[in-house]
């Protein structure tokens, strides 16, 4: 154990979490309309199983898992399907989405126990139950959680790593989950440990959340080997590979999965979601979201039904200030700016950050001066300066040869660049070009 | 150092050089591969853009194709009509017919008619904007106007209109396919210059949902399907689709009742507001 050590490189952006880190989680009332895109997770989108006019109860499926790397989508409120049509998606495109007019006077009582009791289930049943409950990684990538519960053949997993780092500025979603729902975190950890057959679990929490560390330690089960490890405050501590490096000292090889170094990493929010579905019997229909930022009147931590429109969430938080310039899904380092306030909050939406002109002032990009700051910042040891100049020249194939695919778009290079070069956007462009080239070849 | 040393070295090196030179000259005589001198001459006359619009792997391959009879001079879409005739006369072959194709934009939603939801700050490139959350345009299928196509065009045939649409000058377009590849939204197609019927929209939404984001979007009303030749136009997932295999049956009545102008009868250049006015091309 290298507790107290850290991964190399990285940056120290101001964490800006004071706006919401002490604000208790509140439940947002059901909005009038819920919009559920069929693509909310990594992998294959869900397959539509409802029609216009159908009535759904809270927790009923509107989309079925289409294959192994896919999960169902559940109605997050009782109501009537008014339409299945194109709707703005947080990734900027238009997607097929189920629109549900929420019953105004419904008590929103879910059907009894849609997820089976955990006691007595074997590992395969747990995996199936987690898939059927629609659980995905709540840390942003929305990768179906059940896939991680079955490690690939020939790989032994020794350690479950619960990711409570939450290194992204502004966001306090995981922080509040750990402080207010520690028993869910521990219960979810127990379920995952038994399913994976691992003996040891480590919950990694950055040191700027001492209350979360304290609560988790006090409530930790005595019959399991679960350790809470305080982590150095550094961005991107919460990146899967960085966390493994910090906690175990091992490095995940390029192109390999954490399972190849005997570890499974799971976001603390997803762990709590696993705990929650087995406790309540209700599939994943809501999540905790930090809604914050200097351009928001009442920064809050909210329990939001999946599919609630951004506009409704902002209104519930007192609305935007006049000087708002940009609304992000996710934090300022990796989040995406939203061009439309009608986009729904999805399972993978970790937070909403509203920024003013002061934080987002566009800066002129100057030529690269070869200072090398980006090389010292890149946590996966790429050469952003080289990749950037290749991107500017449109030489995307050479970018791939320079390990572009190891880039996780954490934004450290753009953050430190004194010439204000939009490096991580260039890398997003390079990755999109690589995808497109593969499609053209196929 | 005395002069004899210099003389020796010069004569040795000179001798070696002479010997190898003779060898090369002999080899050249013995092992020479005869090449039609007209290939070289023709390649020099051709534009040298290696654009590939003729279907050959560059200008030299096209020259070889013409001499073998696999292609006709008119197959080069970059040469002007006069130049093509000069080439044909030089080679003593027929000018030939070519089905000249030009790039057409499947979007007419300039900033004058299309809704803009947000301002985009970032790399000035459509592909870069799409790699994040798009260019802020209301229509997710429409042209972003950041000119990736105009940058890719080697013939300066694409000009951006004041409303941010790429306008293709048909006389300058060679149909080389570069803009088709460059557009991340797949908005360009190559069509024979004589095929006038065109749906200038890719928006898959229907009815008011479509026209709310762009007043010239196809709202899938289906009038063109009724007005066009039977079976020529089909409504497919919210968009009118033309069967170009039967384009010969097309007539201007097909566009007559279109409520938005999404389907257009294009003679010459596409008619975008702010674009230069051009005469009909052949």
């Amino acid at each position: 154990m290298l507790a107290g050590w850290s991964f190399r490189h990285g940056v120290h952006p101001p964490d800006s979490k004071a706006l919401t880190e002490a604000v208790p989680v509140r439940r947002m009332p059901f909005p009038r309309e819920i919009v559920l895109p069929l693509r909310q997770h990594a992998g294959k989108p869900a397959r539509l199983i409802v029609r216009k006019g159908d009535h759904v109860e809270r927790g009923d499926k509107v989309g079925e898992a289409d294959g192994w790397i896919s999960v169902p989508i559940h109605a997050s409120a009782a109501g009537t399907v008014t339409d299945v049509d194109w709707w703005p998606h947080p990734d900027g495109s238009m997607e097929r989405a189920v629109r549900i007019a929420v019953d105004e006077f419904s008590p929103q009582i879910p059907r009894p126990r849609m997820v089976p009791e955990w006691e007595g289930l074997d590992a395969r049943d747990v995996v199936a139950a987690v898939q059927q409950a629609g659980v995905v990684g709540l840390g942003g990538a929305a990768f179906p959680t059940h896939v991680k519960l079955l490690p690939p053949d020939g790989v032994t997993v020794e350690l479950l790593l619960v990711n409570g780092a939450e290194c992204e500025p502004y966001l306090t979603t995981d922080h509040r989950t750990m402080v207010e729902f520690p028993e869910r975190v521990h219960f979810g950890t127990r379920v995952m440990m038994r399913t994976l057959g691992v003996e040891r679990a480590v919950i990694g929490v950055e040191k700027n959340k001492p209350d979360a560390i304290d609560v988790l330690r006090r409530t930790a089960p005595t019959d399991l080997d679960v350790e809470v490890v305080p982590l150095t405050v550094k961005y991107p501590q919460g990146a899967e590979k960085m966390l493994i490096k910090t906690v175990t000292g091992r490095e995940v090889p390029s192109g390999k999965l954490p399972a190849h170094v005997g570890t499974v990493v799971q976001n603390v929010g997803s762990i709590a979601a696993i705990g929650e579905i087995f406790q309540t019997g209700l599939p994943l229909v809501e999540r905790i979201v930090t809604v914050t930022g200097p351009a928001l009147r009442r920064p809050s931590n909210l329990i939001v039904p999946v599919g609630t429109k951004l506009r409704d969430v902002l209104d519930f938080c007192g609305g935007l200030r006049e000087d708002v310039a940009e609304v992000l899904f996710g934090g300022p380092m990796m989040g995406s700016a939203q061009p439309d306030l009608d986009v729904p909050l999805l399972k993978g939406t970790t937070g909403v950050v509203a920024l003013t002109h002061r934080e987002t002032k566009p800066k002129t990009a100057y030529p690269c001066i070869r200072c090398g700051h980006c090389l010292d910042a890149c946590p996966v040891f790429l050469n952003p300066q080289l990749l950037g100049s290749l991107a500017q020249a449109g030489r995307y194939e050479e970018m791939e040869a320079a390990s572009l695919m190891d880039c996780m778009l954490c934004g450290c290079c753009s953050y430190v660049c004194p010439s204000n070069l939009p490096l991580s956007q260039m890398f997003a462009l390079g990755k999109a070009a690589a995808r497109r080239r593969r499609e053209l070849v196929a | 150092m005395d002069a004899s040393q210099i003389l020796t070295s010069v004569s040795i090196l000179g001798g070696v050089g002479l010997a190898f030179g003779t060898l090369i000259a002999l080899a050249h005589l013995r092992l020479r591969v005869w090449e039609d001198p007209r290939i070289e001459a023709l390649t020099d006359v051709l534009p040298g853009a290696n654009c590939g619009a003729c279907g050959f792997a560059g200008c030299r391959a096209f020259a070889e194709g013409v001499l073998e009879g696999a292609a006709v001079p008119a197959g080069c879409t970059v040469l002007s009509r006069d130049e093509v005739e000069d080439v044909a006369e030089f080679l003593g072959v027929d000018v030939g017919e070519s089905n000249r194709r030009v790039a057409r934009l499947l979007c007419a939603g300039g900033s004058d008619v299309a809704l803009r939801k947000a301002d985009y700050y970032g790399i000035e490139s459509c592909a870069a904007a799409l790699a994040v959350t798009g260019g802020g345009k209301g229509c997710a299928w429409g042209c972003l106007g950041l000119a990736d196509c105009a940058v890719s065009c080697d013939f300066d045939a694409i000009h951006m209109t004041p409303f941010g649409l790429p306008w293709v000058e048909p006389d300058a377009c060679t149909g080389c396919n570069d803009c088709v590849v460059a557009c991340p939204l797949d908005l360009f197609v190559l069509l024979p210059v004589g095929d006038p019927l065109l749906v200038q929209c890719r928006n898959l939404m229907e009815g008011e949902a479509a026209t709310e984001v762009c007043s010239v979007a196809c709202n899938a009303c289906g009038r063109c399907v009724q007005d066009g030749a039977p079976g020529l136009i089909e409504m497919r997932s919210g968009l009118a689709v033309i069967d170009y295999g039967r384009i010969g049956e097309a007539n201007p009545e097909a566009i007559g009742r279109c409520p938005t102008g999404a389907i257009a009868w294009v003679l010459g250049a596409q008619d975008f507001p702010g674009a230069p006015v051009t005469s009909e091309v052949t």
Side-chain angles (χ1 to χ4, degrees):
Chain A
M1 178 64 58
L2 294 168
W5 286 49
S6 189
F7 64 98
R8 285 174 61 202
H9 292 180
V11 295
H12 295 275
D15 80 357
S16 311
K17 290 179 195 277
L19 285 170
T20 52
E21 66 185 352
V23 181
V25 174
R26 278 188 301 165
R27 180 171 285 278
M28 184 181 155
F30 287 93
R32 277 159 185 266
E33 188 183 47
I34 294 279
V35 182
L36 296 165
L38 293 166
R39 184 163 61 76
Q40 295 201 22
H41 45 261
K44 234 175 153 198
R47 186 164 41 80
L48 181 72
I49 56 167
V50 291
R51 271 183 305 188
K52 190 172 170 176
D54 285 358
H55 185 84
V56 287
E57 286 296 330
R58 185 156 168 248
D60 282 357
K61 282 182 192 172
V62 298
E64 187 58 83
D66 193 3
W68 171 238
I69 305 187
S70 182
V71 292
I73 308 251
H74 303 85
S76 50
T80 311
V81 177
T82 52
D83 213 346
V84 180
D85 205 356
W86 297 101
W87 196 266
H89 190 275
D91 72 2
S93 66
M94 298 292 265
E95 277 294 321
R96 287 264 173 202
V98 179
R99 294 172 66 178
I100 298 171
V102 178
D103 282 353
E104 211 171 331
F105 301 108
S106 164
Q108 298 292 351
I109 299 168
R111 295 186 197 279
R113 207 148 253 291
M114 285 176 270
V115 181
E117 291 279 359
W118 173 65
E119 300 293 335
L121 291 186
D122 66 14
R124 293 226 158 246
D125 293 339
V126 173
V127 172
V130 168
Q131 179 178 23
Q132 286 306 307
V135 182
V136 299
L138 300 187
F143 188 79
T145 298
H146 66 275
V147 180
K148 283 192 185 176
L149 287 172
L150 276 186
D153 290 336
V155 175
T156 21
V157 175
E158 296 146 9
L159 174 70
L160 170 66
L161 200 43
V162 181
N163 186 353
E166 197 160 58
C167 55
E168 179 80 45
Y170 284 106
L171 304 186
T172 55
T173 307
D174 294 345
H175 185 175
R176 292 314 301 179
T177 305
M178 290 185 285
V179 170
E180 296 186 44
F181 306 101
E183 78 293 343
R184 272 189 204 160
V185 175
H186 288 308
F187 181 45
T189 308
R190 181 183 293 273
V191 173
M192 274 206 80
M193 284 175 78
R194 206 184 77 176
T195 310
L196 284 164
V198 298
E199 297 293 317
R200 205 163 82 83
V202 168
I203 306 178
V205 185
E206 273 193 355
K207 283 178 191 156
N208 59 359
K209 296 179 257 298
D211 48 345
I213 297 170
D214 190 40
V215 169
L216 285 175
R217 278 190 174 151
R218 269 194 285 118
T219 54
T222 45
D223 56 331
L224 288 175
D225 180 10
V226 177
E227 192 188 347
V228 182
V229 175
L231 305 167
T232 312
V233 180
K234 184 158 80 167
Y235 181 88
Q237 182 66 72
E240 202 167 62
K241 295 182 176 182
M242 307 304 108
L243 188 65
I244 295 173
K245 173 80 179 143
T246 303
V247 174
T248 69
R250 302 180 75 174
E251 202 166 289
V252 182
S254 167
K256 296 279 191 210
L257 295 170
H260 289 106
V261 294
T263 311
V264 165
V265 182
Q266 193 61 264
N267 168 261
V268 71
S270 321
I271 294 267
I274 293 176
E276 194 182 355
I277 59 161
F278 285 112
Q279 271 176 353
T280 62
L282 187 67
L284 181 69
V285 290
E286 58 194 22
R287 63 157 298 150
I288 299 176
V289 178
T290 301
V291 188
T292 182
L296 193 70
R297 288 189 203 278
R298 209 167 59 220
S300 319
N301 294 300
L302 299 176
I303 296 176
V304 175
V306 171
T308 305
K309 283 180 271 183
L310 174 56
R311 195 183 295 280
D312 296 335
V313 174
L314 293 173
D315 284 349
F316 183 67
C317 294
L320 295 166
R321 291 182 195 276
E322 282 75 33
D323 55 352
V324 65
E326 192 169 307
V327 180
L328 301 167
F329 269 18
M333 294 299 281
M334 287 191 72
S336 52
Q338 291 305 315
D340 196 322
L341 293 183
D342 283 326
V343 293
L345 273 73
L346 307 182
K347 291 178 184 176
T349 309
T350 50
V352 175
V353 180
L355 300 174
T356 67
H357 288 284
R358 262 187 50 214
E359 293 88 30
T360 59
K361 197 171 81 188
K363 292 176 180 164
T364 319
Y366 296 101
C368 174
I369 55 168
R370 307 276 192 277
C371 64
H373 279 8
C374 52
L375 285 116
D376 289 339
C378 182
V380 288
F381 291 79
L382 302 181
N383 183 346
Q385 166 213 308
L386 170 73
L387 288 167
S389 51
L390 288 173
Q392 280 175 324
R395 287 152 67 177
Y396 304 123
E397 281 151 65
E398 288 164 70
M399 287 176 81
E400 265 185 274
S403 307
L404 171 68
M405 289 312 178
D406 284 340
C407 170
M408 55 189 169
L409 302 174
C410 68
C412 288
C413 48
S414 307
Y415 182 75
V416 297
C417 181
S419 290
N420 306 323
L421 288 167
L423 288 162
S424 55
Q425 191 187 3
M426 291 179 193
F427 306 156
L429 168 62
K431 287 184 162 200
R435 260 198 310 279
R436 192 170 154 84
R437 197 164 52 245
R438 258 172 233 134
E439 276 165 23
L440 283 178
V441 170
Chain B
M1 189 189 291
D2 62 48
S4 72
Q5 265 179 326
I6 294 173
L7 267 175
T8 318
S9 49
V10 164
S11 55
I12 288 175
L13 273 180
V16 168
L18 201 68
F20 280 112
T22 320
L23 214 64
I24 288 172
L26 286 172
H28 179 65
L29 283 177
R30 284 291 302 269
L31 303 173
R32 182 144 79 128
V33 179
W34 186 84
E35 191 192 66
D36 192 335
R38 292 177 301 169
I39 293 179
E40 202 60 46
L42 191 52
T43 311
D44 286 344
V45 176
L46 291 173
N50 292 323
C51 68
C54 53
F56 288 85
C59 293
R60 190 182 165 87
F62 175 70
E64 288 170 9
V66 172
L67 289 166
E68 284 163 14
V72 289
C76 178
T77 53
V78 183
L79 292 179
S80 70
R81 195 72 196 167
D82 288 344
E83 288 166 329
V84 168
E85 275 163 15
D86 287 347
V87 169
E89 199 185 283
F90 166 66
L91 296 175
V93 297
D94 192 29
V95 173
E97 280 296 310
S98 76
N99 197 3
R100 198 163 96 78
R101 298 189 304 164
V102 291
R104 301 289 197 196
L105 184 70
L106 300 183
C107 176
S111 56
D112 50 337
V113 288
L115 173 76
R116 176 158 286 279
K117 291 190 292 194
D119 294 326
Y120 167 76
Y121 296 98
I123 303 172
E124 285 284 314
S125 147
C126 313
L130 275 180
V132 288
T133 41
K137 199 167 188 170
C139 171
W141 295 269
C143 173
L144 297 176
L146 295 169
D148 280 8
C149 49
V151 171
S152 79
C153 184
D154 287 337
F155 301 97
D156 200 19
I158 302 181
H159 308 280
M160 301 305 289
T161 70
F163 301 108
L165 279 185
W167 176 80
V168 180
E169 193 181 336
D171 283 328
C173 177
T174 67
C176 71
N177 212 44
D178 278 357
C179 52
V180 178
V181 175
C183 180
L185 287 159
D186 297 323
L187 289 175
F188 273 108
V189 285
L190 296 180
L191 284 179
V193 71
D195 292 355
L197 199 58
L198 187 66
V199 180
Q200 299 181 134
C201 184
R202 291 283 305 267
N203 187 323
L204 297 182
M205 293 193 289
E206 297 178 9
E208 279 179 21
T211 46
E212 261 170 30
V213 292
C214 178
S215 62
V216 296
C218 171
N219 65 357
C221 68
R223 290 180 193 170
C224 56
V225 177
Q226 295 164 6
D227 295 350
L232 175 68
I233 306 171
E234 187 192 355
M235 218 29 99
R236 214 181 289 162
S237 53
L239 192 61
V241 178
I242 299 168
D243 178 3
Y244 277 97
R246 309 173 49 183
I247 191 69
E249 302 166 33
N251 61 59
E253 271 146 43
I255 72 162
R257 286 198 300 146
C258 180
T260 63
I263 187 165
W265 189 261
V266 180
L267 299 167
Q270 280 175 283
D271 180 25
F272 295 147
V277 180
T278 50
S279 56
E280 194 174 312
V281 290
T282 46

